[in-house]
Amino acid sequence: MITRMSTLFLRTLREDPADAEVPSHKLLVRAGYIRRVAPGGFAWLPLGLMMLRSIEHIVREEMNAIGAQEIQFPALLPREPYEATGRWTEYGPNVFRLTDRKGADYLLGPTHEELFTLTVKGEYGSYRDYPVMLYQIQTKYRDEARPRAGLLRGREFVMKDSYSFDLDQEGLTRSYRLHRDAYQRIFDRLGLSYVIVAATSGAMGGSASEEFLADAATGEDTYVRSPDSGYAANVEAVVTPAPEAKPIERLPAAQVHYTPDTPTIETLVDFLNTRAGLGRTFTAADTLKNVMVKVRQPGGSEWELLAVAVPGDRDVDMKRLEAALEPAEVAVISDEDFERYPFLVKGYIGPKALQDNKVRFLVDPRIVPGTAWVTGADKPDHHVVDLTCGRDFVPDGTIEAAEVREGDPAPDGSGPLIAARGIEVGHIFQLGTKYTDAFEVDALGPDGKPARITMGSYGIGISRLVAAIAEQHHDEQGLVWPRTVAPADVHIVLAGKDEAIAEQGERLAAELDAAGVRVILDDRGSSPGVKFADAELVGVPTIMVVGKGLQKGVVEFKDRASGERTEVSVGEAVDHVRGLLGRVSPGRDGR
Ligand code: ATP
Ligand code: MG
């Protein structure tokens, strides 16, 4: 195909859009791939749509190759199936809900477990029917609290979602493995650098779950890994190793101290070490920070107070806290809340007032019986020292809410963790029977007895991938696409107004097209400078300049990624491009 810049529906921009913060968002808008329509909603312009289709194509090939079959559901879905699994309520404000003219409730599908499960139940009944894997590539809707970064977090976005249905765990393990392998092939073909990490299963429910995170400093997810053991996990899924409980008998009794003007951990530690006269040295890790939040159960109207205690040298990581409390909603408490609960003395909150007032009190797993802490004494300017867990306070349980830091010990004991950021581009789950229980999906066995079907669900963020690839493949001048997803194979710049240039350029474009090469031809009347700048911005991997070189009988090739320039005689130009394609992307249109 030849895409002509003279007629292509494209207007590139020299300036970054005002609302864009991350490189992919800036460049995809500037290079004319997408345009914003609403918060978290984008129009795909021709170049963007070509890319989206290339990604879909690769995903389809790999899904079909593992035997998954494509079907398609509507995005507009009735309430009842989601009511049956509890997700109508659990999803809370993240779901777009609407009412039809007859007053019936609908939602715009955030994910489709319910519908796939019901459909399989409707069609299949015997053990002979199974296993089956089904998928769709479809638009999803989530009323995200913070749509951001362009395509990275949309409220309307394209997802590939697939679902496996098996007779037993062995089958599910196999389906899961097939998907995991297919995902690796997909992300490899897309030219992504990524890691596979242990994940929490969130609103999907179920057990085993892993995420595919594309490496990117701009990513919203933080993961840790242990270089020695291969352990890797999203920080949301990191389980803090708990120390052994210690004997309490000989520990000193708790004492309340007057600690004026010490509302922060820093001021407190400084006071303890310089003015308290305790004859001991304290660090922030010896203090206990009681962080107040409020929690609302799905569908509930009341907020419940919750205290989360963490060692004072760590912050509470809201994403970890949210993951630990899901599907409940969490919010930090406001000044009004403080006023409502006079027993909460800001800056000096301690376990005693919390427990006396029946506030749920959850602690970091490091806070075990026999550990002694400096913490608030529930009155201004006072702290209590040697407050001992298991003796002076008994928590209501533990919670994974403290931030995970680089250098923390790996849960598998293999040494210190390394931290990095990434973009979640895929997520695979072993759901088990959560949905088949809700809808009673059984297969009749050879003995005539019913057996419950077990499920997996597997997502890929197709539209998010466009941005994730852009995050990894760009430079100062613009986008630098991997060949497998680029909107064209070669971008021909006609540099100059000579007849001969236009003539040779047109001829080469036609020959390349005939050879199955996807060509962008810049046949506009613009200056060479403008054309070069646009070619760099648009990001096709090979730029071919037809210009002055013709006098010597050559055209110039520029590799967009390396910047390397090569002169090739006009007669060999087509073969040169074919060589590039053959060498760089052996698996292009097939496997
Ligand atoms: P996140 O943690 O980023 O909100 P999620 O865990 O809620 O994502 P899943 O339910 O696992 O997402 O959906 C499968 C895939 O769909 C994700 O791995 C991601 O690539 C993509 N995805 C999810 N939410 C969005 C969104 N708001 N915009 C674009 N892609 C998304
Ligand atoms: Mg996910």
Side-chain angles (χ1 to χ4, degrees), residues 8 19 103 111 255 275 344 350 496 543 589:
L8 180 62
D19 62 337
T111 172
Q255 332 100 47
R275 290 156 62 201
L344 296 178
I543 299 169
D589 274 308

Side-chain angles (χ1 to χ4, degrees), residues 91 110-111 142 144 151-155 157-159 204 211 221 424-427 429 459-464:
Y91 253 114
T111 172
R142 295 183 185 178
E144 299 276 359
L151 299 175
L152 286 178
R153 184 167 298 282
R155 297 200 298 169
F157 57 95
V158 183
M159 195 200 290
M204 269 7 117
E211 284 169 356
D221 286 274
E424 182 188 324
V425 289
H427 197 165
F429 298 90
I460 289 185
I462 305 272
S463 51
R464 179 180 283 185

